[in-house]
Amino acid sequence: MSEVTTRIARLFVYPIKSCAGVEVNEAVLTETGLDLDRAWMVVDSEGEFVSQRELPRMALVKVQMKFSEVILRAPGMLALHLQIDTVEAPARVRIWNDEVSAFDMGDTAAQWFTDFLGQKLRLVRFDPDERRLSSPKWTGGAQALNQFSDGFPILVASEGSLAELNRRLQASGRDAVGMERFRPNIVLEGLEAHDEDRFDLITIAAGGEVVLKAVKPCARCPIPNVDPATAVSAPFVSDALQAYRSNPVVDGAVTFGMNLIIVNGIDQTLRVGQAVSAGWRFA
């Protein structure tokens, strides 16, 4: 028997790695996560990925998904329209320790990111024929595919976890922060703070059954310190989390949210409001 029931409160897709997310009411589950999640990535002149860690202004790149295109907007820039089904030259790029096949999106997109972010950059699209796998250390040997996510196809967090952080921030005289800083795909309602840390299998009533498995706590880099509205980075979020979220499961790293892999339900549609049930992990 499942031991906790909840609902999907919010859904997010991040078409371009480290740029602003898109909040959606529904999203199709693919073998690499939510459809179009981290399908594109910005790389430097060596083909190495860049992110808000070193370029916080990436947070100001707003993304709109519209029919057959993705539209990018940023302060002081004309809109950039990307056709979802159009790429240019093949490329090899690097994300963390993985070198993967991709497709360059052309000179116009490259110049757009170069002009806005102030260094020579290019935009690439993940090659759907590439098989980039999550670490088998955490998946139990299951083959979990990713596009340009950091390492796992889906990230879940709860409103309760954010509420606890904001309680602590406000008690110290800081303003509350939004869930956007933590870049989850699925946000769950009605849970106690960090209940998601103890989940095992998660079942979503999405027409056909969707089953996801929680495999690794999400260790946090400095990106949650970046205000998504201004791109200003300040360490108060990390400082607050450090006081109570050091996790021995990942060698003492600060964690917020859980990484998931897909067990069942490819091509099902996830929607805000769908019922979710989960069993606790005892290990």
Side-chain angles (χ1 to χ4, degrees):
M1 293 290 291
S2 295
E3 296 171 10
V4 63
T5 58
T6 178
R7 290 188 179 275
I8 296 176
R10 305 174 76 181
L11 289 169
F12 292 92
V13 176
Y14 306 87
I16 300 176
K17 184 177 181 64
S18 229
C19 294
V22 181
E23 187 164 5
V24 296
N25 288 320
E26 61 181 46
V28 174
L29 185 65
T30 74
E31 63 181 357
T32 58
L34 301 187
D35 189 31
L36 295 182
D37 191 58
R38 278 83 170 193
W40 291 269
M41 182 172 73
V42 182
V43 299
D44 64 17
S45 57
E46 302 300 316
E48 186 83 21
F49 88 101
V50 297
S51 74
Q52 288 182 40
R53 296 167 182 85
E54 60 273 7
L55 295 173
R57 275 170 57 84
M58 292 182 75
L60 301 180
V61 177
K62 307 300 184 187
V63 184
Q64 178 185 9
M65 297 189 295
K66 187 176 181 180
F67 304 111
S68 62
E69 64 180 5
V70 172
I71 305 168
L72 310 185
R73 294 182 173 86
M77 303 291 292
L78 295 175
L80 176 65
H81 293 249
L82 302 175
Q83 296 300 311
I84 287 175
D85 60 356
T86 301
V87 295
E88 293 201 12
R92 293 289 289 176
V93 298
R94 192 166 187 84
I95 172 169
W96 298 115
N97 295 323
D98 297 329
E99 185 176 325
V100 299
S101 296
F103 291 98
D104 190 278
M105 294 300 296
D107 291 341
T108 299
Q111 193 62 54
W112 194 91
F113 278 96
T114 297
D115 290 345
F116 182 64
L117 295 172
Q119 69 180 65
K120 191 172 182 180
L121 299 166
R122 299 196 73 84
L123 183 67
V124 298
R125 173 91 187 251
F126 193 83
D127 182 347
D129 290 333
E130 180 74 46
R131 289 180 59 84
R132 180 172 175 251
L133 299 177
S134 298
S135 168
K137 170 186 174 182
W138 295 99
T139 67
Q143 293 200 344
L145 298 176
N146 306 278
Q147 295 197 74
F148 289 133
S149 62
D150 275 350
F152 297 88
I154 296 176
L155 178 66
V156 67
S158 71
E159 292 179 334
S161 300
L162 182 66
E164 174 60 18
L165 170 63
N166 281 330
R167 184 189 67 79
R168 291 169 177 264
L169 288 174
Q170 291 174 315
S172 67
R174 294 286 187 176
D175 290 336
V177 298
M179 186 64 84
E180 289 79 3
R181 290 181 183 240
F182 294 94
R183 304 176 69 79
N185 297 114
I186 300 172
V187 181
L188 299 177
E189 66 183 24
L191 299 175
E192 296 297 319
H194 307 292
D195 272 353
E196 61 270 29
D197 288 8
R198 300 184 293 127
F199 284 173
D200 184 23
L201 292 179
I202 300 167
T203 301
I204 302 173
E209 186 176 75
V210 171
V211 180
L212 310 173
K213 183 176 177 62
V215 294
K216 184 188 179 186
C218 183
R220 287 297 172 173
C221 67
I223 287 180
N225 292 326
V226 178
D227 184 336
T230 65
V232 173
S233 182
F236 68 91
V237 174
S238 290
D239 289 347
L241 290 171
Q242 189 69 53
Y244 73 110
R245 289 299 300 161
S246 176
N247 193 327
V249 174
V250 284
D251 300 323
V254 167
T255 64
F256 189 103
M258 281 292 289
N259 290 297
L260 312 179
I261 62 173
I262 301 159
V263 177
N264 189 56
I266 303 302
D267 295 330
Q268 295 296 317
T269 299
L270 304 188
R271 293 183 174 88
V272 171
Q274 284 174 337
V276 177
S277 58
W280 302 116
R281 181 180 66 253
F282 298 99

